[in-house]
């Protein structure tokens, strides 16, 4: 077991976005989160590394690192939480004035204070892993969307996270570029990374997930193995969602 979340809530003003979220993320497993727009998927993912701070709830990690968001959270604990996870965003979030190589080394050198030469060598290894060794010295505006997202994956890996978080990593891509990004993620699955993936690619979720979680209106409506949630859902709301996605006539 890697992380257990209990009683997680998140509101923006009067808008309650997450309501009593309880889940467990198993070490070396892939959890995919699906659901309609506005269901709270991205907010949940951002809460997992404190880009958004929950109003209430507890995080319990395998190494006995615990957080209770009902109380004031110290900045050092937020930083400790963020060091545990690498985030891949919908819209890449690369530094436009830095090369692919510089984007990948930024976190390890500036934040984690790694040695420049060592981190540059590791960054080249990671860019090679995602098929972009020959693009190391190019800037984001010289790369396709799929290439930028692959740099984003390499950047997330560079901080040596225990948990990889993907926020709809293909949603901003043209259809012909989606496959190259999903292929990289599938390779990471084979390496037994612990991953949480918010996605609208249901076939991809079925292929890579150990568990699928369906959210709607801030609640976890249903969760279980992909064969159950995606093929034989128990909840009527899940059935309606899948019918609309799979038969959009």
């Amino acid at each position: 077991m890697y992380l257990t979340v209990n009683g997680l809530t998140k509101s923006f003003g009067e808008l309650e976005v997450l309501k009593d979220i309880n889940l467990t993320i198993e070490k070396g497993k892939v959890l995919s989160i699906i659901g309609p727009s506005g269901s709270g998927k991205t907010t949940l993912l951002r809460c997992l590394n404190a880009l958004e701070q929950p109003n209430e709830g507890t995080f319990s990690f395998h190494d006995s690192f615990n957080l209770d968001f009902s109380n004031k959270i110290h900045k050092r604990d937020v930083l400790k939480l963020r060091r545990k996870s690498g985030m891949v965003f919908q819209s890449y979030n690369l530094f436009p004035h830095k090369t692919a190589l510089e984007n990948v080394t930024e976190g390890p050198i500036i934040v984690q204070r790694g040695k420049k030469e060592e981190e540059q060598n590791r960054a080249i290894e990671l860019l090679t892993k995602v098929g972009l060794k020959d693009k190391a010295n190019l800037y984001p505006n010289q790369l396709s969307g799929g290439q930028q997202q692959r740099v984003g994956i390499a950047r997330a890996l560079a901080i040596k996270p225990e948990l990889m978080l993907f926020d709809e990593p293909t949603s901003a891509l043209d259809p012909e570029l989606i496959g190259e990004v999903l292929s990289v993620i599938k390779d990471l699955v084979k390496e037994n990374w612990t991953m949480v993936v918010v996605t609208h690619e249901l076939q991809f979720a079925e292929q890579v997930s150990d568990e699928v979680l369906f959210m709607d209106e801030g609640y976890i409506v249903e969760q279980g193995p992909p064969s159950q949630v995606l093929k034989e859902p128990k909840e009527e709301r899940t059935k309606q969602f899948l019918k609309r996605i799979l038969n959009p006539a």
Side-chain angles (χ1 to χ4, degrees), residues 6-10 16 18-23 218-220:
N6 287 308
L8 179 66
T9 67
K10 176 62 181 177
E16 193 175 13
L18 297 177
K19 308 166 186 176
D20 194 26
I21 298 293
N22 300 283
L23 62 90
Y219 291 102
I220 296 175

Side-chain angles (χ1 to χ4, degrees), residues 79-91:
L79 293 175
K80 188 174 181 180
L81 175 61
R82 287 181 181 164
R83 281 196 291 268
K84 288 178 174 291
S85 60
M87 185 86 162
V88 178
F89 300 88
Q90 292 181 35
S91 54

Side-chain angles (χ1 to χ4, degrees), residues 1-4 27 60-66 84 162:
M1 187 181 300
Y2 173 70
L3 169 63
T4 300
K27 187 172 179 60
S60 300
F61 290 88
H62 66 92
D63 58 2
S64 300
F65 171 53
N66 300 311
K84 288 178 174 291
E162 297 179 42

Side-chain angles (χ1 to χ4, degrees), residues 138-188:
L138 297 185
Y139 291 89
N141 66 2
Q142 297 173 298
L143 301 172
S144 70
Q147 290 169 340
Q148 290 184 61
Q149 191 60 293
R150 284 186 279 156
V151 172
I153 294 172
R155 178 183 60 183
L157 291 170
I159 64 171
K160 301 176 183 176
E162 297 179 42
L163 174 67
M164 285 290 287
L165 305 173
F166 294 86
D167 184 14
E168 300 212 25
T170 62
S171 65
L173 299 178
D174 294 332
E176 66 269 21
L177 300 177
I178 290 173
E180 67 186 59
V181 173
L182 295 184
S183 177
V184 170
I185 299 174
K186 287 178 181 178
D187 287 341
L188 297 179

Side-chain angles (χ1 to χ4, degrees), residues 29-84:
K29 303 295 185 180
V30 179
L31 170 67
S32 289
I33 304 175
I34 63 172
S37 297
S39 59
K41 306 185 300 295
T42 290
T43 301
L44 172 56
L45 201 70
R46 290 173 66 86
C47 283
L48 291 179
N49 73 344
L51 284 174
E52 300 290 353
Q53 189 157 316
N55 297 98
E56 295 180 341
T58 61
F59 288 8
S60 300
F61 290 88
H62 66 92
D63 58 2
S64 300
F65 171 53
N66 300 311
L67 289 174
D68 183 351
F69 288 96
S70 303
N71 302 319
K72 181 176 175 60
I73 300 297
H74 292 289
K75 184 177 180 179
R76 66 174 181 272
D77 290 328
V78 171
L79 293 175
K80 188 174 181 180
L81 175 61
R82 287 181 181 164
R83 281 196 291 268
K84 288 178 174 291

Side-chain angles (χ1 to χ4, degrees), residues 200-211:
H200 59 275
E201 301 283 345
L202 298 186
Q203 184 178 12
F204 170 71
E206 182 181 0
Q207 291 170 348
V208 305
S209 304
D210 296 287
E211 189 169 32

